[in-house]
Amino acid sequence: MQLDQLRLINIKKDQLPSLKFLLVSIFPVRYSTKYFLEVLENEKVSFIAYYKGNPIACLCSKRESDSVLLTALGVLPTYRRFGIASLLLELLISTIKNNFLEIGRVYLHVPVDNSNAIKFYKKHSFLQEQQVLNYYATSYSLAKKDAILFSKQI
């Protein structure tokens, strides 16, 4: 994969079809219309990656008063292990540092059984804060799943 052909851009209304495709392809979750409106409201801290014109990855987050909640970070399976998720995360952190001085922390939730995501965030210096019981209810059943809360001071 040639990273010089990778384009990272803020998510705007024109990218919503690509974002919807990515989220449905990557995550076992149904996203509401409200979610997509929130992404658009937070376009400065939400990004989509295109490779050769095709959407391959996304990072969605939500600005709060003094923190940013990372709500989705995913890469299509074919494009994993090329550092794209790391590039998106680095872009988020540099955007915050350069534009939102009041933001001091990024945080997120990871399913307790997603060992790859847990390793990824630990590798990027996120600290495991606590386990949150019944944080997730999957789209395909009413079974609840616990999450781990991670955060990083910036």
Side-chain angles (χ1 to χ4, degrees):
M1 176 174 194
Q2 299 170 320
L3 289 180
D4 62 335
Q5 295 188 33
L6 185 68
R7 202 168 51 112
L8 307 177
I9 61 172
N10 293 94
I11 297 174
K12 296 186 178 357
K13 191 174 184 179
D14 292 350
Q15 282 78 42
L16 280 184
S18 295
L19 177 61
K20 288 178 182 179
F21 161 75
L22 288 167
L23 292 175
V24 166
S25 301
I26 297 168
F27 299 106
V29 177
R30 284 194 165 147
Y31 291 89
S32 67
T33 301
K34 180 184 175 201
Y35 178 82
F36 293 104
L37 293 173
E38 285 180 352
V39 169
L40 291 177
E41 290 171 7
N42 290 276
E43 68 165 273
K44 290 185 167 57
V45 290
S46 295
F47 310 96
I48 194 163
Y50 289 91
Y51 182 67
K52 295 184 177 181
N54 298 310
I56 62 164
C58 61
L59 180 152
C60 302
S61 57
K62 180 180 176 180
R63 272 186 14 193
E64 298 174 344
S65 60
D66 62 351
S67 60
V68 168
L69 170 61
L70 199 160
T71 60
L73 173 57
V75 179
L76 291 175
T78 306
Y79 298 96
R80 291 180 185 159
R81 301 278 181 215
F82 291 105
I84 298 164
S86 294
L87 288 173
L88 286 166
L89 188 57
E90 290 165 13
L91 177 58
L92 173 66
I93 291 170
S94 68
T95 298
I96 293 167
K97 285 181 177 179
N98 293 326
N99 299 291
F100 305 104
L101 300 177
E102 71 279 9
I103 304 289
R105 173 177 95 122
V106 175
Y107 72 101
L108 60 116
H109 298 88
V110 175
V112 293
D113 60 353
N114 189 339
S115 60
N116 288 333
I118 292 168
K119 287 178 200 169
F120 174 83
Y121 290 110
K122 285 183 176 180
K123 175 182 151 187
H124 289 279
S125 304
F126 279 77
L127 300 176
Q128 186 173 329
E129 287 191 10
Q130 66 184 18
Q131 188 163 331
V132 182
L133 300 176
N134 300 323
Y135 182 79
Y136 294 101
T138 65
S139 299
Y140 305 108
S141 73
L142 297 178
K144 298 200 178 195
K145 189 185 289 190
D146 297 345
I148 299 172
L149 173 64
F150 281 94
S151 71
K152 179 175 182 165
Q153 299 298 318
I154 50 175

